[in-house]
Every structure is written in C-alpha cells, then in structure tokens.
Amino acid sequence: MSARYAPFTHEESGTGATPPRHPTTEESILRAHEFAASITRRRSIRDFSDEPIPGEVIDSAIRAASSAPSGANLQPWRFVVLTDPARKRALREQAEAAEREFYEQRAPQEWLDALSPLGTDWRKPFLEKAPAVIVVFEVHRGPDTPRPYYVKESVGIAVGLLLACLHQAGLATLTHTPSPMRFLNTVCERPAHERPFLVIPVGHPAPDAQVPDIVRKPLDAVLVRI
C-alpha cells in the first residue's frame, strides 16, 4: 500500500490553509532563546498546594503530548488523569508500600547514595496532595490494538511535550516511577496490555515548597559539534 500524503500547513485542516512561512533567522533565534530560558526554570516539585487547576489546561497538555511522533504513527500512549481524592489516596497507599520495600530491601546502596542529596524516601504525599495526577501508560498489543514499535521512545517524547506544555501553563510537575508499577493498572482500571510508564503529579507549588540545590551541566559538557 502506497503512503498517503497531504500538504504541510500551519492549519489543522488543509482546506484553504495558508502555506507555512519560514521564520527569519532573528525570529528563530529569539523563539529558541525564549523557550530555553523558560524551560530551564522548570524544577521537579514534591511540595504541592491543593489549589485546584483548570481541567482545560490538562486537556491541552495531553493534546500537545499526543502530537508527538511515534513508531509507525501508532501513538502507543494512554493518559489517565486522577482527580478523585479516594483514587489518589489509593494511589499513594500502594505506591508507598512498593517504595518502602524498594528503599528498605531492594535498592542497592549505590542507588541510595545517589538519591541521598535529593532527600527522597518512600513517603509520597504529593500523590495525594496534588490536585491532579497523570498516569502515563504504554499501549502494547491487545485485543483492539496492534503491535507498536519504538514504544518507550515514542512515549518518552510524548511525556517531554506534556511536561513542557504544563510548565508553559505555569504549573509544577514531578516525574515519579514507583517500583514496581503494575499496581497502577488496578488503581487506574487499565487492561494488562497497557503498561505503566510514569506518574506525574500536577499543580501549583506549596507556598513553602523547596527544591534541591542542584546545578545543571553547562552546555559545553553536553554538546558535541562535529
């Protein structure tokens, strides 16, 4: 079967849409600088306010995430948004049980040493305090879904867009990966062929929120020009 193509435009519909205009060099530099300046201020937050957040913002962020490229365009992701207090409480209880076992029994000392400067432990109050929690699942082959390709790469790109959009909207986030994560299928009522990928509390920082005093690597330590 030959591939189907449509003209590239900046509009949602190709009908009557105007061709894309390439930005000038100055515009490109300014856009890149502004985005980099904004996104580099993003920090992972563990102390959330319970102030409500607009559902429309979450919807738009997931829409942005769903625009990510994916293997064979199969879009192997599912975003489950938890706002019900009882559901978030169940999430926290099961996550803390798994994390407590990890920290006290399964984590190698080298890993614990690496985590030590961040001050994290098995307690995860943010899962209950944040007004919304997005649980991201990989969608694998199932009764109504085909075998996907490059699943983790595809879902990872989608999560990156999700975090960037939420940050641009002025919201704080945290990327959390409880270990193991299969209990999330039960909490979120998802089938076995959907596999947990990431838990993302979303909201506003608490007034007294603090973050670890860390330093990012400089550009010349991560960029190689050849």
Side-chain angles (χ1 to χ4, degrees), residues 21-32:
R21 181 186 71 83
H22 295 302
T24 65
T25 299
E26 291 76 15
E27 288 173 334
S28 292
I29 294 172
L30 179 61
R31 292 181 192 180

Side-chain angles (χ1 to χ4, degrees), residues 103-156:
Y103 273 88
E104 295 181 354
Q105 300 180 33
R106 293 189 291 108
Q109 189 59 49
E110 183 179 12
W111 195 336
L112 295 176
D113 291 342
L115 291 171
S116 179
L118 303 180
T120 62
D121 59 23
W122 60 268
R123 298 171 182 85
K124 310 298 175 186
F126 47 78
L127 294 175
E128 192 172 359
K129 188 68 175 292
V133 179
I134 303 173
V135 183
V136 185
F137 288 84
E138 305 169 359
V139 179
H140 291 261
R141 186 196 295 272
D144 302 309
T145 54
R147 174 192 172 190
Y149 303 93
Y150 301 106
V151 180
K152 292 191 180 300
E153 293 87 344
S154 301
V155 177

Side-chain angles (χ1 to χ4, degrees), residues 23-132:
T24 65
T25 299
E26 291 76 15
E27 288 173 334
S28 292
I29 294 172
L30 179 61
R31 292 181 192 180
H33 176 77
E34 289 179 341
F35 181 79
S38 172
I39 202 67
T40 53
R41 291 194 295 269
R42 183 201 167 271
R43 293 297 306 271
S44 293
I45 297 296
R46 291 177 171 82
D47 300 313
F48 286 88
S49 160
D50 58 4
E51 178 184 350
I53 58 176
E56 293 85 351
V57 174
I58 300 290
D59 292 352
S60 293
I62 292 176
R63 182 184 178 197
S66 298
S67 73
S70 60
N73 192 38
L74 292 176
Q75 304 164 57
W77 42 64
R78 189 83 68 227
F79 302 91
V80 180
V81 181
L82 306 182
T83 56
D84 176 66
R87 188 82 65 167
K88 290 191 296 175
R89 187 176 306 113
L91 170 62
R92 176 185 176 180
E93 289 172 353
Q94 296 196 47
E96 286 186 334
E99 289 287 273
R100 186 167 189 167
E101 180 183 354
F102 170 79
Y103 273 88
E104 295 181 354
Q105 300 180 33
R106 293 189 291 108
Q109 189 59 49
E110 183 179 12
W111 195 336
L112 295 176
D113 291 342
L115 291 171
S116 179
L118 303 180
T120 62
D121 59 23
W122 60 268
R123 298 171 182 85
K124 310 298 175 186
F126 47 78
L127 294 175
E128 192 172 359
K129 188 68 175 292

